[in-house]
């Protein structure tokens, strides 16, 4: 899940003086409890004598804390150090605000060390970071899996106060289903939708840069349904979420503050709403709690050192973090205590619901990692070459439609192109014997980004849709399937782009019928594909066949030789469904998370 330098969780911090914490103002930024060098000895050394203290070498326990918990943890450390000074302990605690992604990479031995000091204990905002750091042998040796939650903050929808009043009047409540294509807000009366002046647009943080964004994807996964249908819905929701993503929380709050015809709703942690309102009371925002519950950020406290003495000190400070006085400081910062209990800061007068929210269970670390990888692939986009058969049989009419096979296939393929993202890179060939001799294929469009602007004002997407719709069947020729697939495979392999799904989609209604001497045979094609296929730089061939003349057995062998899939359409409308399955394949690679 971790990529060096990705910064998966960035702070939406509002910087204020440290003393403001006691006045229940959010304290964020780099907050450090000043180390107090005290007497004492042994692992934690309470009750040591002055003589033992003279022999003791003072040292500091370093705690890395996520932005939301850094200020209250530093306040707890300050009190803990003051008590330790009186008890003549030789250990002091220092809390540094650190980005969870950077710490995860450092502890796993994969990232660049961004902090000036080592990490003995860690408080990220989610247990998922613990699992991530432990995926490497180095991380597993350092990070204790037996982490204990010291705070909670549910992931909620944030709405400008004025827009929230409109939602309440309309009795509309957003749910995670609202982010699934075709769904909408939950309404408890039939005419509720008419009460809103315009649709509401939900924006989520980048799931590769914010724990709340990843939590939103996990919540969506819990409501899309099971099996292949649920997986296709989830992939569609990822594309919608990608389109609606906001670069950071500050940008999202700025959008809420601007008057807009379409009211915005953003996905954030509940504590983020508290912090925003304390920092910008002129533009109040209120939390809206999703129907069906929320993923809850659980702020686990874990040892991140293999040293036994340091681990004992980590445990001692952990006990201090769980004490009632520490809980009051944590709640005053807009967080909840473990179990969901809210403090006075989360007042109903300010729009907060102090009742513990329903929890959406977190899946295991493997599934979380697969979903995060799907998101990254969606951001990077796929790289595809589409091959369209224009042989004479594609001119055969389809009964009851008034159109030939190519026209219907092209129309449905054009619809499939609308499912792809602007970040996807696509090109298109048509193929048939004698077409653009001696190649037997013709390039309609080179591979370019779907959102790229072309001369004349069209985008690549628009140009591809127009090109496939204008394609016409050839006459007095036959299908040159094998030769075209091999040429496409070689080109895509030579121009392979890492970190993307590199694939070929073949649309055909027949089989290879090249009668010429030295024509490529199926065994020779398979042999050459298998010899050229590199699992470290995979190019997958996906074949979609339509019509009674399709040699589906040959298509299956071609796809299998390259790690791709084959689909056979009994009806033209199924082609669009297969495009959705292709998108699932390139987002999941070989690891689709179960739904």
């Amino acid at each position: 899940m971790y990529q060096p330098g990705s910064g998966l969780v960035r702070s939406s911090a509002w910087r204020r003086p440290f003393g403001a914490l006691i006045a229940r103002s959010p304290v964020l930024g780099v907050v450090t409890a000043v180390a107090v060098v005290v007497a004492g000895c042994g692992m934690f050394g309470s009750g040591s004598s002055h003589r033992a203290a003279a022999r003791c070498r003072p040292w500091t326990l370093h705690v890395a804390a996520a932005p939301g918990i850094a200020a209250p943890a530093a306040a707890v450390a300050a009190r803990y150090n003051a008590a330790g000074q009186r008890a003549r302990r030789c250990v002091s605690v220092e809390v540094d605000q650190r980005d969870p992604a950077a710490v995860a990479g450092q502890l796993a031995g994969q990232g660049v060390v961004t902090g000036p000091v080592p990490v003995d204990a860690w408080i990220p905002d989610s247990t998922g970071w613990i699992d991530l750091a432990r995926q490497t042998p180095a991380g597993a040796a350092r990070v204790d899996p037996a982490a204990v939650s010291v705070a909670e903050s549910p992931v909620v929808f944030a709405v400008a106060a004025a827009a929230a009043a409109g939602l309440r009047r309309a009795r509309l409540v957003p749910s995670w289903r609202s982010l699934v294509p075709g769904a909408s807000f939950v309404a408890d009366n039939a005419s509720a939708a008419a009460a809103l002046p315009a649709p509401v647009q939900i924006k989520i943080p980048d799931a590769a840069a914010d724990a709340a964004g990843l939590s939103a994807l996990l919540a969506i996964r819990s409501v899309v349904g099971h099996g292949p249908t649920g997986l296709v819905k989830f992939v569609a929701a990822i594309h919608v979420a990608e389109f609606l993503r906001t670069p950071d929380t500050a940008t999202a709050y700025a959008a809420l503050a601007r008057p807009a015809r379409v009211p915005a709703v953003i996905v954030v942690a509940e504590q983020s709403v508290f912090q925003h309102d304390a920092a910008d009371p002129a533009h109040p925002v209120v939390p809206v709690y999703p129907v069906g519950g929320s993923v809850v950020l659980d702020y686990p406290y874990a040892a991140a050192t293999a040293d036994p003495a340091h681990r004992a000190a980590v445990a001692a400070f952990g006990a201090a973090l769980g004490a009632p006085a520490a809980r009051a400081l944590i709640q005053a910062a807009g967080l909840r205590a473990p179990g969901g209990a809210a403090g006075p800061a989360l007042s109903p007068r300010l729009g907060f619901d102090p009742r513990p929210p329903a929890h959406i269970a977190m899946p295991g670390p493997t599934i979380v990692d697969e979903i995060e990888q799907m998101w990254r692939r969606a951001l990077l986009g796929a790289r595809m070459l589409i091959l369209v058969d224009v042989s004479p049989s594609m001119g055969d009419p389809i009964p009851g439609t008034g159109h030939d096979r190519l026209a219907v296939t092209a129309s449905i393929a054009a619809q499939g192109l609308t499912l792809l993202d602007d970040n996807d890179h696509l090109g298109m060939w048509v193929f048939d014997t004698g077409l653009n001799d001696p190649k037997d294929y013709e390039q309609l469009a080179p591979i370019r980004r779907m959102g790229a602007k072309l001369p004349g004002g069209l985008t690549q997407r628009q140009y591809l849709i127009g090109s496939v719709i204008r394609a016409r069947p050839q006459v007095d020729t036959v299908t040159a399937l094998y030769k075209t697939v091999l040429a496409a495979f070689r080109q895509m392999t030579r121009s392979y782009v890492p970190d993307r799904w590199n694939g070929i989609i073949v649309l055909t209604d027949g089989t290879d019928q090249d009668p010429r001497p030295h024509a490529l045979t199926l065994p020779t094609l398979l042999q050459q594909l298998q010899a050229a296929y590199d699992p470290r730089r995979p190019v997958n061939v996906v074949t979609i066949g339509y019509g009674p003349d399709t040699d589906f057995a040959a298509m299956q062998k071609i796809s299998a030789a390259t790690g791709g899939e084959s689909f056979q359409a009994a009806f033209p409308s199924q082609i669009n469904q297969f495009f959705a399955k292709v998108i699932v394949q390139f987002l999941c690679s070989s690891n689709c998370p179960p739904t």
Side-chain angles (χ1 to χ4, degrees), residues 283-306:
H283 301 96
V285 170
V286 297
V288 179
Y289 298 86
V291 172
S294 294
V295 174
V296 175
L297 304 184
D298 59 347
Y299 290 93
Y301 175 75
T305 174

Side-chain angles (χ1 to χ4, degrees), residues 371-432:
I371 290 174
E372 201 270 342
Q373 291 289 354
M374 288 176 69
W375 176 258
R376 290 188 181 279
R377 292 190 189 99
L379 293 182
L380 290 170
R383 181 174 175 271
M384 289 184 271
L385 181 59
I386 299 178
L387 311 181
V388 181
D389 184 353
V390 292
S391 62
S393 60
M394 292 294 281
D396 293 346
I398 296 178
T401 67
H403 300 286
D404 60 38
R405 292 178 180 177
L406 181 56
V408 173
T409 300
S411 176
I412 296 172
Q415 295 177 36
L417 293 177
T418 65
L419 299 175
L420 301 172
D421 189 79
D422 278 352
N423 287 330
D424 295 324
H425 288 63
L426 260 76
M428 186 176 292
W429 294 359
V430 292
F431 65 94
D432 196 9

Side-chain angles (χ1 to χ4, degrees), residues 30 36 48 70 76 84 86 98 107 163 194 214 233 238 328 351-352 379 398 575 580:
V30 178
V36 181
S48 299
V76 175
R86 293 190 296 271
R98 298 278 298 278
L107 295 176
L214 183 58
K233 287 183 179 179
I238 284 180
F352 295 96
L379 293 182
I398 296 178
I575 296 174

